[in-house]
Amino acid sequence: MSAEQFFSMFNKQKKRVEVMSSNRQPFRVVKEDPDKPQDIPSELQKRARNKKRKRLEIKNDQYEQLMMLSVPVRFPKGMSLYPTQKLMIVRILAALKSSQNVLGESPTGSGKTMALLSSTCAWLNQYIEEKKKSREKCPIHGSMGGVRKEEYGEEEAEEAEENQSEVKVEVKQENIAVKTEKKDLFEEQWRDDFIPHGGPGPSLKFKMDSVKKEEKVENAATDCTCMPRVRIYYGTRTHKQIAQVVKEFSRLPYANIIKHTILASRDQSCINPTARKQPDISGYCKEINSAHGIGCQFKNAMRPRFEKAPMLRSHLMDQGTMVFDMEEIVETLALAYPQICPYFSTNRILTQDADLIFCPFSYLVDPLIRNSSDVHVKNSVVILDEAHNIEDTCREAASFTFTEKELDDSLLSFRLKRVAIDNITSNKSAEEAFADVPDASIHMKEFKGHLMYLEHLTLEILRWVRHVAEEARTPPKSRQEGLKTCTLSSETLFSSLTNAEIGVDLFAPPNTPKHNAIATSFGAITKQNEPEMKEMDQFKPSATAIVVIEKWLYFQSYFGNQQYRPTYRLNVTVEPINARFNSTFDGGDTSMASTSFSGTSRSSAGPRNMQYKEENPWVADDVDDWKDPSISQTGHKAIYEGCKTSISLWCMSPAISFFDAFSETRSIILASGTLCPMDTLKTELGMEFKQQVEGDQVISPDNIFAAVLPIGPHGNRITCTYRNTSDPESPFYEEVASIVKYVCTNVPAGILCFLPSYRVLEQLKMCMYKNQSMLHIKSKKVILFEPRRSSELSAVMDEFDEAIFNPTRFGATINGALMFAVFRGKVSEGIDFADDRARVVISVGIPYPNAMDDQVNAKKMYNDQNSKEMGILNGDEWYTTQAYRALNQALGRCLRHKNDWGAMLMIDDRLERQTSQLTTGASSARVSKWIRAQLKSYPSFRQFNANFREFIERRLSIVKKEQEDA
């Protein structure tokens, strides 16, 4: 097809599409006046006026200290370590000294975070001193290697010497050769960050596929004895958890000794008012900072003063910010002068000298995010806190989903850019614009060749998708009309990728000509900061197209390994447009929280395309649907008219991505309140953990009330199954509503109620409004519901706290708040509901994964097939373990410190056996040990009422006496 024919067809299709509403709004690029200060986003101004946040006070000279394994461990003044904390610190220090890994299970309230931070920071502080001494004694660098401290400074000189001894790496991929240049100064390594560029960079993994390392020893008689640089990466699930961890870090006497930073996306850190109005903040940022972009005032203000970490840290200290979480550093840099970009400050500049880096799990585990961020885990200590879902996170990181619409969008992007080059090369006046660019025509021809190759690859993938989609069938017990799905074995997946009959040859394992060709083209179109690429920037394909190729390369690198191949399954899902498949507990609704495995949103097609959604956060849930088969601007005909077709490549083993991410770390520490069974966890992750800790509860039994309620106030047995919850008129809802109403009437302060899914929550909500329970509770509590959008959580939590600590603001009779939430949601993990924030936690049901979900069934079958050989849980044991880990996490929201008190009420008669000494099944199919020790099942609500009221009244009388004595 000629360029003219293509554009003719494209314009016709475009006119048809323009009449339809679209979620994708074009960037509104407004020329900025560099001399005019920009308005700060209103939410930051409001926050600054209210002065709601308190600065974290740092007292480095006030601390307690204990010598443990010859390491001086410091902790806050006046604090006494619990035995559990001491045990964890000793195990961690032993592991760090010997480069071993740690599994640490520590109950809620036992000081886990403080133990993690104090031990690793103490060891790193000592290691840094030993590293300096080793440098002084080094036969090569002891004399500063010819670099003068007085000229460049001690830190810059040290970095310069390290760089002088770096191994040269030559990358050979077809005709492309990339060489790492030897840097002379500290700041040289990050100079490229301030060269305008656009689009994500090439993944290091693919550039390194054919790397040959050649170590050149300049002095054979002398070896360098310098110790390698070590960093600590502290990973959590959410930024809310990071804020809590940073608060604990501020209590330790290591501020400005152990330098830290936080990795976050532009969505969370951008202060450009124009960018914040865009539907895609990340894409807009890359656009304006590209070679031909208008630039960003806040990033430009960093030149040249704040291009080095020491100067930026000094600037933060001048503003009174030494230890910061993400929210605080955004406020500081937005309101200080000059106003500079928090994203590039935290993700690019402060990472230069940071010893401790806080980040979400995805920055460490997900290969797409890790390799596009400034994350270098080699020789590092990695802490994964709240790591009970690490298996699921790792499986998702090695799983990839492609939608039909996503592939068609990518095809269109490659084609448009290729045709744009054709138009320029055939237009003399346009070609003259490139007259000043050396070898412009050669570069454009090469670039066009790479675009054409990837366009053909995308077409072949679409042809493969169309073929395998024919296998989709209507599930036997489907609750959604029109749904078709199938899950195929790894052998069938391999056969489909090498089907000569339909012209498909997509199997491309690493180090094969095909894989290298894809990697070469991918590297060429995503190359950044090369002189010739400044003019090619306008021909780069969309971020969606780039991510599609990057995902395909990662899948090939995993699936191409014969050892990993059997762990993959191919799933095809065809869903009717505007339909939502029930993918949660017992067939609940699709939600932001309740999922098949962990806390990530998922449809029946498996792990949703997280990277595609990140690049296009404005995209609605149904963006990949074909509203009309004729709207495809490439001429592609929908595989199933009126349906969304997805192909998911599911990885059944977390060991693949876990090993890929952490095999070169010095030590990795997994910590949580619910890691058991540890033996099978180690096997699933495929790495050795020589140090293990199982801590005991530090809270007095008198402060804990734990009960199973098998029978409700009206005498009905309560079983939270799909059959009972699917009927809105079921006695189940009446009984649960009565229990919630009873608790709210008799207990002041905060109450949390966790349900299996948003579907059950909505049904309960309707029942409570219908029988007037909700109105009765509103006379005592402010009633709140967990939001489905993460961006709304902060406002909901602020209102929750306000109702707890200033209840009269909401009414004279208000004494607290009731929060309804879902298991595996944003509220159930990582948020600290200490003291009055949660005096009672009510859990309804057992949050089993959806038994109808294809991926759940595929994982169960995989475990059944490999349990004996690999030493992992069988399918049923794994399935039950998933449920109880989620239950235990929710129950752990209260009782957050030694003197805290609270009650945990578990509503479901299936939990009665948890109070028995002779439980059967997997050892992990239980509530946590510290809860089970206090757990009692009540055969009648009357008996429960007597004991519960006695506990609450006793605790409230103690609180009242303490207040009077104070």
Side-chain angles (χ1 to χ4, degrees), residues 753-771:
C753 180
F754 291 100
L755 297 124
S757 72
Y758 285 116
R759 178 185 63 81
V760 177
L761 192 158
E762 290 298 326
Q763 295 275 40
L764 177 63
K765 183 178 176 181
M766 287 191 295
C767 173
M768 294 181 72
Y769 273 114
K770 186 176 179 180
N771 65 14

Side-chain angles (χ1 to χ4, degrees), residues 56-69:
L56 298 173
E57 296 183 8
I58 310 303
K59 297 181 179 179
N60 279 354
D61 57 341
Q62 299 180 20
Y63 56 84
E64 306 287 348
Q65 180 171 299
L66 282 177
M67 290 297 293
M68 296 183 175
L69 300 185

Side-chain angles (χ1 to χ4, degrees), residues 746-966:
N746 290 280
V747 182
I751 310 294
L752 301 178
C753 180
F754 291 100
L755 297 124
S757 72
Y758 285 116
R759 178 185 63 81
V760 177
L761 192 158
E762 290 298 326
Q763 295 275 40
L764 177 63
K765 183 178 176 181
M766 287 191 295
C767 173
M768 294 181 72
Y769 273 114
K770 186 176 179 180
N771 65 14
Q772 305 297 309
S773 297
M774 202 71 85
L775 292 177
H776 182 89
I777 294 172
K778 281 185 176 180
S779 67
K780 294 282 187 180
K781 306 286 183 187
V782 173
I783 302 175
L784 298 165
F785 296 88
E786 176 182 12
R788 298 200 184 199
R789 294 182 180 274
S790 297
S791 58
E792 299 171 0
L793 179 62
S794 181
V796 172
M797 291 307 303
D798 286 345
E799 187 175 358
F800 182 83
D801 285 349
E802 188 71 11
I804 299 296
F805 300 110
N806 297 296
T808 54
R809 177 175 170 269
F810 298 89
T813 61
I814 299 297
N815 64 10
L818 166 65
M819 172 81 80
F820 286 100
V822 294
F823 292 108
R824 301 186 181 91
K826 294 168 283 294
V827 172
S828 68
E829 299 186 23
I831 298 182
D832 191 357
F833 289 93
D835 301 315
D836 280 348
R837 287 184 175 88
R839 287 307 180 193
V840 178
V841 172
I842 303 170
S843 71
V844 181
I846 305 173
Y848 289 104
N850 178 16
M852 302 299 295
D853 186 274
D854 286 344
Q855 191 171 15
V856 171
N857 288 321
K859 175 60 179 171
K860 288 177 66 176
M861 190 177 298
Y862 174 84
N863 277 38
D864 282 336
Q865 293 168 351
N866 296 279
S867 59
K868 292 183 179 179
E869 181 181 348
M870 298 176 61
I872 59 178
L873 297 175
N874 65 39
D876 287 338
E877 290 172 340
W878 169 85
Y879 183 72
T880 307
T881 299
Q882 294 290 309
Y884 279 92
R885 278 183 178 163
L887 175 63
N888 289 328
Q889 280 300 309
L891 294 173
R893 290 314 90 204
C894 70
L895 301 171
R896 305 299 295 180
H897 58 83
K898 184 178 181 181
N899 298 317
D900 206 352
W901 63 272
M904 290 159 287
L905 311 182
M906 287 163 264
I907 303 175
D908 198 305
D909 61 3
R910 293 173 295 178
L911 289 166
E912 280 186 292
R913 75 182 187 89
Q914 293 294 320
T915 61
S916 171
Q917 296 297 319
L918 299 175
T919 58
T920 59
S923 60
S924 58
R926 304 176 185 178
V927 296
S928 296
K929 180 176 65 175
W930 65 273
I931 299 175
R932 200 164 62 249
Q934 311 299 321
L935 192 61
K936 183 177 180 181
S937 179
Y938 291 89
S940 73
F941 193 81
R942 180 180 297 179
Q943 293 181 29
F944 159 76
N945 178 40
N947 286 11
F948 180 71
R949 289 177 71 95
E950 187 276 329
F951 172 80
I952 296 297
E953 290 171 1
R954 175 167 52 84
R955 293 309 314 174
L956 291 177
S957 65
I958 293 173
V959 170
K960 184 178 180 180
K961 186 176 184 303
E962 290 174 348
Q963 292 175 343
E964 291 173 351
D965 293 342

Side-chain angles (χ1 to χ4, degrees), residues 487-494 507 555 558-570 650-653 656 858-859 861-863 865-866 869-870:
T487 302
L488 307 175
S489 67
S490 57
E491 293 83 1
T492 305
L493 170 57
F494 177 77
F507 182 61
F555 164 66
Y558 291 145
F559 189 71
N561 186 322
Q562 194 168 0
Q563 181 182 352
Y564 298 156
R565 200 173 304 159
T567 68
Y568 274 89
R569 301 293 182 268
L570 168 63
W650 289 335
C651 178
M652 297 290 104
S653 171
I656 295 176
K859 175 60 179 171
M861 190 177 298
Y862 174 84
N863 277 38
Q865 293 168 351
N866 296 279
E869 181 181 348
M870 298 176 61

Side-chain angles (χ1 to χ4, degrees), residues 42-227:
S42 58
E43 63 266 23
L44 288 178
Q45 294 179 352
K46 183 179 179 182
R47 200 183 297 152
R49 283 196 302 269
N50 294 338
K51 293 293 181 184
K52 192 171 183 179
R53 292 173 55 83
K54 294 182 179 180
R55 294 287 180 183
L56 298 173
E57 296 183 8
I58 310 303
K59 297 181 179 179
N60 279 354
D61 57 341
Q62 299 180 20
Y63 56 84
E64 306 287 348
Q65 180 171 299
L66 282 177
M67 290 297 293
M68 296 183 175
L69 300 185
S70 302
V71 178
V73 179
R74 301 174 182 176
F75 46 95
K77 184 75 174 177
M79 177 181 176
S80 297
L81 295 178
Y82 302 138
T84 293
Q85 287 178 302
K86 292 180 181 179
L87 177 62
M88 179 171 279
I89 290 173
V90 168
R91 290 282 192 272
I92 291 173
L93 291 176
L96 295 177
K97 284 174 171 285
S98 305
S99 298
Q100 296 173 344
N101 301 324
V102 185
L103 283 178
E105 185 178 69
S106 183
T108 177
S110 60
K112 166 173 59 70
T113 302
M114 181 60 70
L116 291 169
L117 287 170
S118 60
S119 57
T120 51
C121 288
W123 175 85
L124 183 61
N125 191 37
Q126 186 182 74
Y127 181 88
I128 291 172
E129 294 301 317
E130 293 174 353
K131 182 175 181 292
K132 290 179 181 178
K133 293 177 182 178
S134 74
R135 176 171 294 278
E136 293 172 1
K137 297 177 181 179
C138 177
I140 296 179
H141 303 110
S143 60
M144 294 298 297
V147 180
R148 295 182 298 171
K149 278 186 183 180
E150 62 273 15
E151 182 175 350
Y152 298 116
E154 182 175 353
E155 198 167 48
E156 285 89 342
E158 182 176 319
E159 289 289 337
E161 290 166 9
E162 288 185 358
N163 290 324
Q164 288 176 4
S165 63
E166 285 182 351
V167 175
K168 293 183 178 179
V169 179
E170 183 178 351
V171 184
K172 296 180 179 178
Q173 294 178 338
E174 299 291 315
N175 298 323
I176 292 182
V178 181
K179 292 188 178 180
T180 59
E181 296 180 3
K182 187 165 60 179
K183 307 293 183 184
D184 294 324
L185 295 176
F186 174 84
E187 60 268 31
E188 287 289 324
Q189 299 178 65
W190 296 278
R191 176 174 292 174
D192 286 350
D193 283 322
F194 293 90
I195 296 175
H197 59 273
S203 168
L204 179 63
K205 182 176 181 64
F206 309 126
K207 290 167 62 178
M208 298 297 291
D209 276 340
S210 56
V211 169
K212 293 182 180 179
K213 295 184 179 180
E214 299 177 2
E215 184 174 355
K216 297 183 179 181
V217 181
E218 297 180 359
N219 189 341
T222 309
D223 292 326
C224 173
T225 60
C226 292
M227 297 167 64

